[in-house]
Amino acid sequence: MSPVTAAAPEGTHALDDDRVLVFDLLRATEAAALATARLLGRGNDDEVDAAAVDAMRPVLGTVPMRAVVVVGEGENDDSPMLYPGEHVGSGHGPLVDLAVDPIDGAGLTARSLPNAMSVIAVADRGAMFDAGHVLYMDKLVIGPDLVGTVEFDAPIEDNLAAIARERSVGLGEVTVALLDRPRHTELIGRIRAAGARIKILLDGDLVGALMAVQSDSEVDLLIGTGGTPEGIIAACAVQCLGGAIYGRLAPRTETEARQARDAGLVLDRVLSTDDLVRGDNVYFAATGVTGGELLRGVRFSADTAVTSSLVMRSRTGAVRTIETRHRLSTSTLFPTGS
């Protein structure tokens, strides 16, 4: 494991003292969702990305925390992106690691497709895995009842059969979520040949991971190669909801692999949930931008907007779905009095 920073020194303000911190984080995801929902269907991914960061950044500056971005966007010269290694927060409060995706699904938003959302997670300083420049990983995400039943390196056919046995259903009732990418063509064929169902994700597999660990979801398993940042954020959600995520770094080039090895990363190691984010002190907040199975999208009227969000805390096991009505001023896209 290669955390981006050392653990917080003794005597500092502890994250577990901040029971309402998740609601401060919620203000940031709501702001990003409100800003990006205004750009629905315009076809410009970069415009959506920029709007999300521009809306989220000033809110993060007011949150009572001393955070270092472990999972972010861009590099430190890609202003105004929230880049890995950047320090954000009000300058007082707990020392934390921050994983942030101001808009998970910029392309979905730009094309008016479902399941785009704004996401933030925090954990104690030094808790989150630092994957360096390795942007992709092979992943498997399951719910609590399947831990010990499904194996990361097992053939997909064996895992599907194990899920069907554990849940006392036929293979035709097992549903696998994965990204619609050419790299998954063979895997998709094997899943179909086994008789299981497939939920194709157009962009961003975080929503699939969240669905896989929820008992009332149609998704039994998320599998495939996707973004490493999304994997770490998913691990934060898994710490709150239960279940497990397993992953293995998947460098795209030999140069990327060499950089990873030089950074001390072991490329053939199977990473568990606790490897990706340690401890039980994790906060998670997500707000829907476009509607989907997990969250409703932003709904606008003449002078108000309604957002749908999910907030969680691992230590208490609290999971809340929150709908917020925002009064919009005539001069800004952002809510007043929030």
Side-chain angles (χ1 to χ4, degrees):
M1 180 159 179
S2 177
V4 73
T5 56
E10 292 185 8
T12 58
H13 187 177
L15 179 56
D16 56 12
D17 292 337
D18 289 87
R19 296 178 180 274
V20 298
L21 178 62
V22 70
F23 298 106
D24 288 313
L25 301 175
L26 176 62
R27 292 190 296 113
T29 59
E30 287 177 340
L34 288 165
T36 53
R38 287 291 196 183
L39 303 175
L40 188 71
R42 292 191 183 181
N44 190 326
D45 299 19
D46 292 339
E47 183 183 32
V48 173
D49 261 324
V53 176
D54 288 346
M56 180 175 281
R57 178 180 291 281
V59 179
L60 287 178
T62 70
V63 177
M65 64 181 179
R66 290 171 287 170
V68 61
V69 178
V70 178
V71 174
E73 296 189 344
E75 302 292 340
N76 60 10
D77 57 352
D78 291 339
S79 180
M81 307 307 284
L82 288 159
Y83 59 87
E86 181 177 1
H87 291 262
V88 298
S90 67
H92 60 86
L95 298 170
V96 300
D97 283 349
L98 177 70
V100 57
D101 196 344
I103 176 67
D104 181 56
L108 299 176
T109 305
R111 292 159 185 77
S112 297
L113 296 172
N115 291 323
M117 55 186 173
S118 177
V119 185
I120 288 179
V122 300
D124 290 314
R125 179 69 61 86
M128 290 185 187
F129 183 77
D130 178 12
H133 295 286
V134 183
L135 298 180
Y136 286 87
M137 69 188 311
D138 300 324
K139 307 174 195 174
L140 184 150
V141 183
I142 50 176
D145 63 317
L146 297 178
V147 175
T149 299
V150 173
E151 298 181 11
F152 179 80
D153 282 323
I156 184 61
E157 296 84 356
D158 292 353
N159 279 332
L160 294 175
I163 291 170
R165 287 194 302 270
E166 179 66 27
R167 294 190 165 169
S168 300
V169 298
L171 272 171
E173 296 178 71
V174 176
T175 302
V176 181
L178 76 171
L179 283 167
D180 184 17
R181 297 292 186 271
R183 60 181 177 265
H184 293 151
T185 299
E186 179 186 354
L187 181 58
I188 288 172
R190 291 171 62 185
I191 294 168
R192 287 174 173 160
R197 299 182 297 188
I198 297 177
K199 181 171 184 58
I200 295 291
L201 305 173
L202 298 178
D203 189 16
D205 60 6
L206 179 57
V207 66
L210 288 168
M211 293 176 70
V213 295
Q214 296 195 22
S215 59
D216 59 350
S217 164
E218 66 176 344
V219 172
D220 300 285
L221 171 74
L222 171 90
I223 197 168
T225 304
T228 303
E230 290 83 356
I232 297 170
I233 294 173
C236 294
V238 170
Q239 289 285 21
C240 296
L241 290 168
I245 177 171
Y246 302 99
R248 183 160 51 212
L249 297 176
R252 296 168 296 174
T253 65
E254 180 52 40
T255 297
E256 193 174 286
R258 185 175 62 254
Q259 290 174 337
R261 288 191 291 266
D262 290 345
L265 298 173
V266 180
L267 297 181
D268 60 356
R269 178 186 177 191
V270 177
L271 301 164
S272 68
T273 309
D274 288 334
D275 292 320
L276 295 172
V277 58
R278 291 199 313 270
D280 65 349
N281 211 16
V282 179
Y283 296 74
F284 180 96
T287 300
V289 176
T290 62
E293 292 92 340
L294 187 67
L295 291 167
R296 298 183 69 184
V298 179
R299 288 94 71 201
F300 289 102
S301 62
D303 59 355
T304 62
V306 178
T307 55
S308 174
S309 302
L310 177 69
V311 296
M312 302 184 284
R313 186 184 182 206
S314 64
R315 176 157 295 180
T316 61
V319 179
R320 296 179 174 90
T321 54
I322 296 174
E323 287 214 343
T324 306
R325 185 173 297 275
H326 308 264
R327 178 168 53 86
L328 302 177
S329 72
T330 58
S331 60
T332 179
L333 296 178
F334 307 112
T336 59
S338 62

